Amino acid sequence: MAVPVHSKPERVYVNVVLSVDSTGFMKPSAIKWTDGRTFDIERIRDFRPASAAGNDINGDCYTVVIKGQDRYLFFEEANPHFSGRPGRWFVEVKA
């Protein structure tokens, strides 16, 4: 019997519409794919360090609701040597 091979999810980097409050908390409100599609974030259900979500990145993981379904949106902090780029956003999709 063949053992199923679980492929690692692929990171898809996306544009994110967000607001930043006076404490520096980033609140994403929409995800824009490179093909032009935009998906509104209906709710932020959870926010935690990405490492707590089992990822090997330095950044944050947002559990967001899009079209009634939970999705994970990650903010990957940039290398501190590139001060003009605080980080970038991605979602994981099954390869």
Side-chain angles (χ1 to χ4, degrees):
M1 178 189 291
V3 176
V5 177
H6 298 284
S7 61
K8 187 175 179 180
E10 177 185 352
R11 292 179 183 179
V12 176
Y13 290 90
V14 294
N15 292 326
V16 173
V17 177
L18 61 92
S19 61
V20 181
D21 70 15
S22 62
T23 68
F25 179 74
M26 296 182 291
K27 183 179 179 186
S29 58
I31 296 172
K32 293 184 176 185
W33 291 89
T34 57
D35 66 5
R37 293 178 295 159
T38 299
F39 296 95
D40 290 332
I41 293 172
E42 299 159 10
R43 182 175 163 206
I44 297 174
R45 191 178 303 277
D46 189 33
F47 167 78
R48 62 191 176 281
S51 60
N55 250 295
D56 60 347
I57 68 164
N58 187 23
D60 302 311
C61 176
Y62 293 75
T63 304
V64 299
V65 179
I66 297 174
K67 292 191 169 190
Q69 297 184 359
D70 284 358
R71 301 287 183 212
Y72 298 111
L73 174 63
F74 294 90
F75 178 73
E76 177 182 51
E77 292 179 3
N79 183 318
H81 299 292
F82 299 104
S83 61
R85 293 184 180 175
R88 57 188 183 161
W89 295 87
F90 71 87
V91 293
E92 290 183 333
V93 297
K94 294 183 181 188

